[in-house]
Amino acid sequence: MKTMTKNFTFSRRNMIRAAVMGAALLAAGTSLAENFPTKPIRLVIPAPPGGGTDTMARLMAKAVTESANWAFIPDNRPGGGGNIGFDQAFKAQPDGYTLALGESSNMIVNQFLYHQIPFDIEKDMQPIALLARVPLVLIVSASGPYTSVDELLAAGKNKSLSFASSGNGTLAHLVGESWKHKLGTDMLHVPYRGAAPAMTDLVGGRVDMFFASIPAALPMIQAGKVRALAITAADRVAVLKNIPTMQEAGYKDMEASVVFGLVGPAGIPLTIVSQINTQINKAMQNPEMVKQLGDMGVERTSGSIGGDASFFAKLLREERTKWEPVVKASGATVD
């Protein structure tokens, strides 16, 4: 009986001690969040200056600076398809002062594409806020004969069509592979080192088509150098309101968007994660920012954009489930 009493007392003491420690940690996290940030936030951009990831990162940083008066220090760390920048960000102190701007390739696809990555994307990364989903647009050379998706595919009955991408494992590549599989036809994938050289060869007629991101393709569409045939969004976008969706063009289950989001190292206190998420959503919903993104072909709708960190994490899991079999079926790998 004495032993049972001692064990009960010991257990009760442990429970009380754990409760006190839990309350202390919660209070500490709350205190950190209330005072956050007390210094500039390093924003790792795992891509070179001037591209889509860099543009999105700097737009976000500018919006939050204006909205919340937070200071960001952009730090471009390109290489390894984004893995180099992510590796640095995820090994930083999980205090909210080192964040990174991720996109589909490095947050979703790379783990299935690369033989070795110096981190575990699902264990070492903390999803924080979903910034935008950017649809792709199927484009062809404006000097070519194709004015619709059906005309393009009809030509494929007499010759082998080729599709460009901005690199192995990019969403442009995976969408092309997915479409090829759905059609049951043969298409040659031609990877490039980025969207710019792919666009140059498309205009010159050296490749037949390209699923390009709308912001990358828009200037060339507006300049009359390429012709837009369809977009991979669920609904039409305002900046290309006369261009049908792939479903409207007669091809179902072809929705795809490049996902952009803010992430950090795992272990950031959830109170700080929540505060960053709140400020990001507030800044990105500013009417001026919504218009600026809309002019680029990036639309923010309440159903697919925003939400808390768990919403973003769930989306990433769904996207990985969607694209893993496509990567494996394509046979694409990077050493």
Side-chain angles (χ1 to χ4, degrees):
M1 190 70 173
K2 288 182 179 180
T3 301
M4 291 180 61
T5 304
K6 285 181 179 179
N7 286 343
F8 175 75
T9 303
F10 179 74
S11 175
R12 186 173 63 178
R13 284 175 180 171
N14 280 352
M15 290 172 62
I16 293 172
R17 193 172 298 154
V20 170
M21 289 179 64
L25 288 172
L26 180 62
T30 302
S31 177
L32 286 171
E34 288 174 351
N35 298 320
F36 184 87
T38 59
K39 60 182 180 180
I41 298 169
R42 177 191 179 202
L43 179 60
V44 176
I45 305 171
T53 300
D54 183 70
T55 299
M56 187 64 68
R58 292 174 188 273
L59 280 174
M60 182 277 297
K62 180 176 180 291
V64 178
T65 296
E66 293 175 351
S67 173
N69 200 31
W70 290 6
F72 289 89
I73 301 176
D75 185 6
N76 291 85
R77 297 285 175 169
N83 292 333
I84 291 176
F86 266 14
D87 188 39
Q88 291 196 13
F90 299 159
K91 287 178 179 174
Q93 285 293 324
D95 54 10
Y97 288 100
T98 298
L99 306 175
L101 197 289
E103 50 90 19
S104 290
S105 293
N106 44 51
M107 293 190 298
I108 297 163
V109 177
N110 280 1
Q111 64 178 311
F112 311 122
L113 185 68
Y114 283 76
H115 287 137
Q116 289 187 327
I117 295 179
F119 51 83
D120 186 317
I121 194 72
E122 297 187 40
K123 293 181 180 178
D124 297 333
M125 181 182 78
Q126 168 63 59
I128 296 174
L130 174 61
L131 299 184
R133 301 182 71 174
V134 182
L136 306 183
V137 55
L138 175 59
I139 53 177
V140 295
S141 174
S143 61
Y146 313 123
T147 61
S148 70
V149 179
D150 285 342
E151 287 181 6
L152 175 65
L153 293 181
K157 295 178 180 179
N158 301 313
K159 70 165 190 171
S160 178
L161 295 174
S162 58
F163 69 95
S165 80
S166 47
N168 280 320
T170 59
L171 203 65
H173 174 204
L174 298 184
V175 170
E177 292 287 350
S178 180
W179 199 36
K180 180 176 76 173
H181 177 73
K182 291 178 190 298
L183 293 172
T185 187
D186 186 39
M187 293 182 188
L188 175 65
H189 171 228
V190 184
Y192 291 84
R193 290 180 177 273
M199 203 78 70
T200 298
D201 273 9
L202 181 74
V203 172
R206 288 178 285 277
V207 68
D208 294 305
M209 57 184 153
F210 180 20
F211 281 98
S213 72
I214 291 180
L218 194 58
M220 299 294 281
I221 295 171
Q222 294 170 335
K225 297 292 183 70
V226 301
R227 181 179 296 128
L229 302 184
I231 62 172
T232 64
D235 303 297
R236 296 194 183 197
V237 298
V239 76
L240 293 173
K241 61 183 179 181
N242 295 323
I243 306 303
T245 66
M246 288 292 287
Q247 180 159 335
E248 288 175 328
Y251 302 91
K252 297 180 179 180
D253 302 321
M254 284 297 296
E255 293 178 21
S257 297
V258 179
V259 175
F260 287 94
L262 191 69
V263 299
I268 299 174
L270 295 182
T271 48
I272 291 180
V273 170
S274 178
Q275 184 170 347
I276 298 172
N277 175 279
T278 298
Q279 293 299 337
I280 293 291
N281 286 337
K282 178 182 176 182
M284 297 298 286
Q285 290 290 15
N286 179 284
E288 183 179 339
M289 176 57 64
V290 171
K291 181 182 184 305
Q292 188 172 359
L293 291 173
D295 290 343
M296 295 165 54
V298 181
E299 297 200 338
R300 288 179 55 88
T301 58
S302 59
S304 61
I305 299 298
D308 60 15
S310 62
F311 174 85
F312 183 26
K314 180 175 180 290
L315 172 67
L316 292 177
R317 289 193 297 270
E318 291 171 348
E319 289 286 301
R320 291 184 191 116
T321 300
K322 175 180 179 178
W323 294 115
E324 180 181 6
V326 179
V327 175
K328 291 182 177 178
S330 74
T333 59
V334 177
D335 292 325

